[in-house]
Amino acid sequence: MIQQLFIAPLTETYFQKALIGGSIVAVVAGVVGCLVVLRRMAFLGDALSHAMIAGVAGGYLVMKLLFGLEAHAPGMLIGSLLAAVVTVALIGFVSRISRVKEDTAIGIMYTGIFALGVVAVSMFRHYIHIDLMHFIMGDILGIADSDLWVSAFIGSLVITVLILFYRHFQLTTFDPVMAASIGLPVLLLDYLLTVCVSLVVVSAVSMVGVILVVGLLITPAATAYLLCDRLDRMMALAAFFGVTSVIGGLYLCVWLDSAGGGAIMLFCTLQFLAVLTVAPKYGLLARGLRLRSLVPQQMIEDILTTVLRYREPTPLEVIKRYVEDGAVLGRAIRRMIRDGLLEDRQGSYILTEKGEQEAAKVLRAHRLWEAYLEAIGTPQEYLHSTAHRLEHIRGGATEYLDEKLGRPEQDPHGRDIPDKKPRNTPPGSLSGRGEE
């Protein structure tokens, strides 16, 4: 069974060529794709791959009419590269001289140039023999030797450029302002990366088609992005995921008797979804666990002020009177003990020194809000309840109120307002048992 499922396909020449060619494309596309994903250029890769049909048609037509050569690979390669460069230039021109944003310009230019290629193929169909479905879907199981050599050469060239300019690309990707300030030619590096993307797309479309080349450029890099925060590791993982997509997709293609490009892209997408689910830091399961362990800051502050006002070891039943009960409350208390805010005294809780400081900040905010609310005419019966909702506001509101009120020392009920930097105070001076 294993022999038939796994070993037998490897003995077939078409499978070996597909495996080698697809792996070359996957490695190069995955490495370049990391910069594409980080720079949010994914739509540009799609644009270049679609715009290439105009270059293929032009190169095919020129070689046929001028030299009598049909399906001349170098001619179509040069035409495709020129089409990619023209597309990028037009996108940059439109986005610079008009109010149209770059993503909109990409959509306009690539669909227009793609349409130009389709019209050219239709008009000169007696000279140009291009199967548009093959161009879009690819035929990875029918890779020719010339395709392998072209992809190997261009792959080596692109990887060499990335190695030589790795630090430059890294800096312009994460901090282009700093890169420009230290004298790096940011615009030139952007064009160099665009040319690398164009070369990858041009060399791969003839083998794997438009859909698969865009998928291999984006999906493995996005998969790696879920697992690491370093560019070098991300590139290595993207290349790995690209190769595993090719291997898994080709076996899937043989087992299901389906299209090669579609099977590879399906496996690649399933691989992304699996990593998205189980990634230890950015995955769905990890996010769910973080959300389950999340404790609202407002609850923590309410517990702090409750224990502070009680002035002695506070039983859980007392805390429940003033803080919403439930599973979150127990989790909040455990977290506060772990963070050094509370101490457990045989089922009752007292504040640590750190906890007293944090509680004093919240109490200070509460009493300043009460003073402010009284100053603007809020009825006495609403002072506490309204201040209780407002005391959790952050962002300098407390200091603004303090300054606006002339730095008051007592709230409307005659209780002391804690200093900005709490100092040692007699027990009960800040608590106010009657404050409810």
Side-chain angles (χ1 to χ4, degrees):
M1 189 68 173
I2 295 178
Q3 172 77 19
Q4 184 179 0
L5 289 177
F6 294 99
I7 306 301
L10 287 174
T11 62
E12 301 292 339
T13 303
Y14 76 90
F15 192 91
Q16 296 170 0
K17 287 186 177 181
L19 192 60
I20 295 172
S23 297
I24 293 173
V25 172
V27 169
V28 182
V31 172
V32 175
C34 292
L35 295 174
V36 171
V37 168
L38 293 173
R39 288 168 173 248
R40 300 181 181 179
M41 293 169 56
F43 198 22
L44 180 60
D46 190 28
L48 294 176
S49 60
H50 280 80
M52 271 182 50
I53 190 173
V56 169
Y60 197 114
L61 188 62
V62 168
M63 298 306 295
K64 177 70 174 179
L65 295 180
L66 296 185
F67 303 101
L69 299 173
E70 190 165 333
H72 192 259
M76 290 189 291
L77 182 65
I78 294 173
S80 301
L81 187 57
L82 288 175
V85 171
V86 169
T87 302
V88 173
L90 288 174
I91 290 169
F93 175 75
V94 171
S95 60
R96 281 197 307 272
I97 60 98
S98 71
R99 64 182 301 183
V100 174
K101 301 298 182 183
E102 187 177 27
D103 57 342
T104 307
I106 290 174
I108 295 170
M109 290 299 113
Y110 102 73
T111 51
I113 295 177
F114 178 73
L116 174 64
V118 172
V119 170
V121 171
S122 302
M123 288 177 59
F124 300 99
R125 56 185 173 275
H126 299 297
Y127 301 102
I128 302 175
H129 305 114
I130 297 176
D131 183 0
L132 289 180
M133 185 56 67
H134 171 80
F135 179 82
I136 294 173
M137 299 302 298
D139 184 15
I140 194 169
L141 298 178
I143 291 178
D145 292 343
S146 59
D147 292 329
L148 290 177
W149 284 111
V150 168
S151 63
F153 173 74
I154 290 183
S156 302
L157 179 63
V158 170
I159 292 295
T160 301
V161 170
L162 292 178
I163 292 173
L164 291 176
F165 295 97
Y166 173 78
R167 294 297 180 191
H168 301 75
F169 284 134
Q170 185 181 37
L171 189 56
T172 54
T173 297
F174 291 106
D175 197 344
V177 175
M178 179 181 177
S181 67
I182 63 175
L184 289 181
V186 176
L187 185 60
L188 183 61
L189 289 168
D190 287 344
Y191 279 118
L192 181 60
L193 178 60
T194 302
V195 170
C196 289
V197 175
S198 303
L199 285 171
V200 172
V201 171
V202 166
S203 65
V205 162
S206 62
M207 289 194 300
V208 298
V210 168
I211 295 177
L212 184 55
V213 73
V214 175
L216 289 177
L217 196 65
I218 304 303
T219 310
T223 307
Y225 191 41
L226 296 172
L227 294 173
C228 56
D229 296 317
R230 290 178 59 88
L231 181 58
D232 52 352
R233 295 176 185 173
M234 181 180 171
M235 286 180 167
L237 277 176
F240 171 76
F241 285 127
V243 173
T244 56
S245 297
V246 171
I247 296 172
L250 286 176
Y251 274 110
L252 199 63
C253 159
V254 172
W255 296 339
L256 301 178
D257 192 22
S258 65
I264 291 174
M265 201 59 245
L266 176 62
F267 190 92
C268 191
T269 304
L270 293 175
Q271 186 174 242
F272 169 79
L273 293 175
V275 172
L276 176 63
T277 302
V278 302
K281 189 174 181 181
Y282 302 110
L284 296 178
L285 293 178
R287 182 175 183 271
L289 291 174
R290 284 197 301 272
L291 290 177
R292 284 194 61 186
S293 62
L294 192 64
V295 176
Q297 182 64 24
Q298 179 174 340
M299 176 175 283
I300 291 177
E301 293 177 355
D302 286 344
I303 295 172
L304 287 172
T305 53
T306 299
V307 177
L308 178 69
R309 288 166 178 153
Y310 199 72
R311 293 186 296 180
E312 55 191 47
T314 310
L316 184 60
E317 290 73 19
V318 174
I319 297 175
K320 288 180 179 179
R321 292 182 204 163
Y322 303 99
V323 181
E324 183 180 353
D325 192 9
V328 180
L329 177 58
R331 190 160 63 239
I333 291 177
R334 288 192 296 271
R335 174 181 161 184
M336 294 172 69
I337 293 173
R338 187 173 62 249
D339 292 344
L341 299 174
L342 289 180
E343 286 185 8
D344 188 353
R345 294 284 179 89
Q346 298 179 346
S348 296
Y349 303 95
I350 64 170
L351 294 175
T352 63
E353 183 178 351
K354 178 181 177 183
E356 288 180 356
Q357 292 175 357
E358 295 299 319
K361 291 178 183 177
V362 182
L363 195 61
R364 169 180 166 80
H366 180 93
R367 292 179 177 175
L368 281 171
W369 274 112
E370 284 191 342
Y372 176 75
L373 290 170
E374 185 191 47
I376 62 174
T378 304
Q380 286 287 326
E381 61 268 24
Y382 296 115
L383 289 182
H384 176 74
S385 58
T386 307
H388 180 69
R389 293 194 299 271
L390 297 174
E391 67 188 20
H392 305 290
I393 296 175
R394 291 291 178 265
T398 302
E399 301 316 312
Y400 171 77
L401 292 177
D402 191 32
E403 183 176 352
K404 190 172 184 64
L405 294 169
R407 307 196 182 282
E409 296 182 358
Q410 292 184 330
D411 71 357
H413 306 289
R415 292 181 293 256
D416 292 337
I417 297 176
D419 294 335
K420 181 178 179 181
K421 294 182 179 179
R423 57 181 181 271
N424 293 330
T425 53
S429 61
L430 297 180
S431 58
R433 286 287 298 274
E435 188 176 356
E436 297 181 359

